[in-house]
Structure formats: structure tokens, C-alpha cells
Amino acid sequence: MLSAVAREDEDEGPRPENSATIAIYSVKGGVGKTTFAANLAWCSAQDGHSTLLWDLDAAGGSGFLYGLEPKGSGLAEDVFSRDRSPTRLIQRTAWDGIDVLPADESIRALDAQLVRIGKRRRLAKLTEELAGNYARIVLDCPPVMNELSAQVVRAADLVIVPLPPSPLSARAFDLVVREIAGNTRRHPPILPVLSMLDLRRALHKQARDANPNWPTVPYASAVEQCAVHRQPVGAHSPQSPAAQQFARLWNAIEAKLAERRV
């Protein structure tokens, strides 16, 4: 029988009605996951939502793309292991409506720490707490299949899966779906997206034709320039096709969230 503490950890906590947590997740690195997270957070804020971009990847890319660095080492993991409020680590960006909770090197040990403390919904509890201040929380997740990814699934209202445009993209998506379904009884909706799509390449066109209903984000120099300018594409190249595709993807995300609330 579960202890009272364990039962409490498993219970669904209160969440403001119109808030949502969106996870950007892939089991494969190099598919544009951090770029997705940073740019979708921008779109969320442009849509009028108070938005938190929470970097759960030790590489710290999301914070970097907004010109931020962690306030210290070893603090990001403390939020999980010592029941410390994450609000003290949150940093404002140069744009209204977007805050960032950066990662640091301590995140590398987070999976082992989550297993040790035994709180299966620790991340969900933290997002429920933060939802009081943010209408949208965007999680930039590491490309892993472990306790952290399981916690992400339990916390998310929607999972966005960037996929490489190849004939194997559907197979890669099936792997993610199986991983997610294995970690929660009621898993959130999952939205696959073809990332870095270049229709001049035959394999990319084949992948798009095989999955015509999946949203796409193009391979574009404007997206690559995010790391140079340390700004989302909507800030430095607002009229670019890439910025427009991210805006369309955000509209699809909001439509998915609206379906879940009905």
C-alpha cells in the first residue's frame, strides 16, 4: 500500500483552468528541440500569454538563445531534490511576457536524484505551482528515456515531438509514443512536427508526402541565426518563412489545447 506521502505525490494537483505545460521532447538529439522551445515560447508571449521557458537540458541552450546564463552552479537540480521554489532561479528576458528558468551542469545528475527521492510527480507539482504565475510553461527536455522523461510526460498537457524529415520519421515517432504511453495511464496529446525541412531534398519531400498532416518547420538560415543574435527568429526576422511557420505551429498547439479542455 502507498504511504500518505506517496499518495499525495501521485494525486493531481490544482492547476489554473487556462494554464498549460507544453513539453518539447525527442529521444534523438540534433532535431532542433531547443530551437523549437525558444521560438514557441516567443510565439506564446506574442499570443498574449505570460510564458515561462524551463530548460531541463544540461546544455543550457534555451537560456543561451535568450542571452541568459544560470545564476550559479548546482542550483537547477536543487529545485527537485530540496523542495526549493524554482521562482528564485527564474530570469526575465529582454521581451515582455517571457521568463526563463535556465539549466546548469547539475541537471546532468537529475535523473539519479529523482529516482533517489522517489517523487514520481515532482516536476508536475512544480509546474502546478508555477502555473499560478504563468499561463504557458514550455519545457525544453533532454533527449533521454529515463525518470526525467517520465516526469515530463506526467507534467505536460501536450508533447511536441520534432522529427527529422526522413523515411524513418514515422518509426521514430512511434518510439516516442510507446515511451510516453509506458510512463502514464493517461498520457497527454502528442503532436509530431517535421523539423529542418528542406523540400529541395528528395528524402525530405518523401517524408512530408508520407505525413501530410504533420506541421513542418523549414530548414532556414533565419533559424540558424537565432544562436548568432541570441534571439528567437520572430524577434530578428519576423517576416521570414520560418517565423511564420512557428506562428502556425503555435496556432496548432493552441487548437490542441482547446480540444483537451472541451
Side-chain angles (χ1 to χ4, degrees):
M1 181 178 294
L2 292 174
S3 68
V5 173
R7 284 197 301 270
E8 181 182 0
D9 190 54
E10 290 302 307
D11 289 342
E12 294 291 336
R15 183 189 289 273
E17 182 178 354
N18 293 322
S19 69
T21 296
I22 300 126
I24 316 301
Y25 175 70
S26 173
V27 296
K28 188 178 186 304
V31 296
K33 173 182 56 59
T34 292
T35 301
F36 269 57
N39 282 285
L40 291 175
W42 163 268
C43 293
S44 172
Q46 294 299 299
D47 204 25
H49 300 299
S50 55
T51 303
L52 176 66
L53 173 58
W54 190 345
D55 196 346
L56 294 170
D57 192 333
S62 285
F64 176 84
L65 289 180
Y66 275 92
L68 301 174
E69 300 293 343
K71 293 179 178 178
S73 62
L75 298 176
E77 188 267 343
D78 278 356
V79 170
F80 292 85
S81 62
R82 301 188 182 183
D83 289 344
R84 292 180 178 176
S85 172
T87 55
R88 66 192 182 92
L89 301 182
I90 292 172
Q91 299 184 37
R92 294 183 179 275
T93 70
W95 294 276
D96 290 340
I98 309 175
D99 293 344
V100 174
L101 205 168
D104 60 43
E105 286 293 318
S106 68
I107 290 290
R108 295 187 187 280
L110 181 55
D111 178 62
Q113 193 74 324
L114 287 170
V115 172
R116 184 186 67 80
I117 64 178
K119 294 184 177 181
R120 300 177 68 247
R121 297 192 69 254
R122 178 63 179 144
L123 181 59
K125 292 290 185 181
L126 290 169
T127 58
E128 287 160 7
E129 174 187 331
L130 291 165
N133 295 320
Y134 297 98
R136 298 290 181 268
I137 299 172
V138 179
L139 304 178
D140 181 6
C141 308
V144 294
M145 291 191 294
N146 56 19
E147 175 58 23
L148 177 55
S149 61
Q151 295 242 353
V152 165
V153 171
R154 296 179 195 119
D157 296 292
L158 178 65
V159 178
I160 308 301
V161 183
L163 294 163
S166 79
L168 295 176
S169 55
R171 184 173 181 176
F173 179 60
D174 289 342
L175 176 62
V176 174
V177 171
R178 289 197 301 271
E179 166 68 9
I180 291 174
N183 281 311
T184 181
R185 292 187 300 273
R186 300 190 305 272
H187 70 74
I190 308 167
L191 181 63
V193 183
L194 289 175
S195 172
M196 299 181 287
L197 182 69
D198 184 351
L199 291 177
R200 295 170 299 181
R201 301 176 63 177
L203 286 179
H204 286 213
K205 188 174 185 301
Q206 180 181 344
R208 198 278 309 271
D209 291 344
N211 305 285
N213 296 323
W214 290 5
T216 64
V217 170
Y219 176 82
S221 60
V223 176
E224 293 180 325
Q225 289 296 309
C226 289
V228 176
H229 296 286
R230 299 186 74 174
Q231 296 179 357
V233 68
H236 68 77
S237 300
Q239 302 305 317
S240 65
Q244 294 171 20
Q245 282 299 102
F246 275 118
R248 292 189 186 100
L249 175 56
W250 182 255
N251 289 337
I253 288 170
E254 285 293 323
K256 280 280 187 183
L257 293 173
E259 288 175 7
R260 198 173 192 218
R261 287 192 290 266
V262 172

